[in-house]
Amino acid sequence: MDIPWGSEPAKKFVTNVGLITSSGPHGDNIMSAEWTHHVSYQPGLILISLKTSEATYENIIKTKEFGVNLSAQEQNVLASVAGGSSGKNVDKIAVLKELGFKFFKAKKIKALMVEGAALNVECKLVNKIEVGDHVAFIGEAVEVHLLTGKEPLVYHGQKFWKFGANIPRPSEAEINKIKSIVEKHTKK
């Protein structure tokens, strides 16, 4: 069974907005990637999922590296431009620079990084896995830049959001009740 992009089931997922930067046959490029996930602490690994038709896909295949920039809440325009066209046809970096967005040179990879992002991670490709109509690239973090005070942009229902009210953890009394029930049902 398929879960197509834009369908009601697909809209129920909540993700961040990964701005994936690369440099290669299509020059310096940026794209928005809804599927950007931190999948290991030691070593630090990040998974991105792309279509093979993307310019970013071809850049990563050639260079074996990419940048992951988690879009900050105030970067919704940047995320829209990065996701609105293909790097095969449009120099999105030039468009974004003309709109006033800034980039900086990465320390350990050749791709540019997004200035003002909530998080920037320079990645070296360690694995490539075909999954359905996408390819999952797993990159190992080789350099991390963190901007404190920046919250990531949230993507849900094909719209951008920012974090709202925090939902508190259960009370201590509820936690103790749960622990008691878990102990009661612990397999021996």
Side-chain angles (χ1 to χ4, degrees), residues 2 53 84 106 181:
D2 294 340
S53 59
I181 294 171

mmCIF file of all heavy atoms in Angstrom, residues 2 53 84 106 181:
data_model
loop_
_atom_site.group_PDB
_atom_site.id
_atom_site.type_symbol
_atom_site.label_atom_id
_atom_site.label_comp_id
_atom_site.label_asym_id
_atom_site.label_seq_id
_atom_site.Cartn_x
_atom_site.Cartn_y
_atom_site.Cartn_z
ATOM 1 N N ASP A 2 0.518 2.248 -0.738
ATOM 2 C CA ASP A 2 1.270 3.500 -0.807
ATOM 3 C C ASP A 2 0.745 4.506 0.220
ATOM 4 O O ASP A 2 -0.425 4.464 0.600
ATOM 5 C CB ASP A 2 1.150 4.129 -2.194
ATOM 6 C CG ASP A 2 1.807 3.280 -3.273
ATOM 7 O OD1 ASP A 2 2.654 2.437 -2.943
ATOM 8 O OD2 ASP A 2 1.454 3.465 -4.458
ATOM 9 N N SER A 53 16.427 11.444 -8.479
ATOM 10 C CA SER A 53 16.350 12.479 -9.509
ATOM 11 C C SER A 53 16.876 13.835 -9.017
ATOM 12 O O SER A 53 17.019 14.765 -9.811
ATOM 13 C CB SER A 53 14.900 12.643 -9.978
ATOM 14 O OG SER A 53 14.068 13.003 -8.884
ATOM 15 N N GLY A 84 11.709 24.553 -3.434
ATOM 16 C CA GLY A 84 10.774 24.932 -4.486
ATOM 17 C C GLY A 84 11.200 24.657 -5.908
ATOM 18 O O GLY A 84 10.404 24.822 -6.827
ATOM 19 N N ALA A 106 32.317 25.396 5.045
ATOM 20 C CA ALA A 106 32.465 24.314 6.006
ATOM 21 C C ALA A 106 33.953 24.110 6.303
ATOM 22 O O ALA A 106 34.809 24.488 5.500
ATOM 23 C CB ALA A 106 31.858 23.034 5.436
ATOM 24 N N ILE A 181 3.082 -0.723 38.419
ATOM 25 C CA ILE A 181 2.390 -1.606 37.464
ATOM 26 C C ILE A 181 3.409 -2.335 36.587
ATOM 27 O O ILE A 181 3.242 -3.529 36.312
ATOM 28 C CB ILE A 181 1.373 -0.797 36.632
ATOM 29 C CG1 ILE A 181 0.241 -0.287 37.543
ATOM 30 C CG2 ILE A 181 0.818 -1.623 35.477
ATOM 31 C CD1 ILE A 181 -0.705 0.701 36.877
#
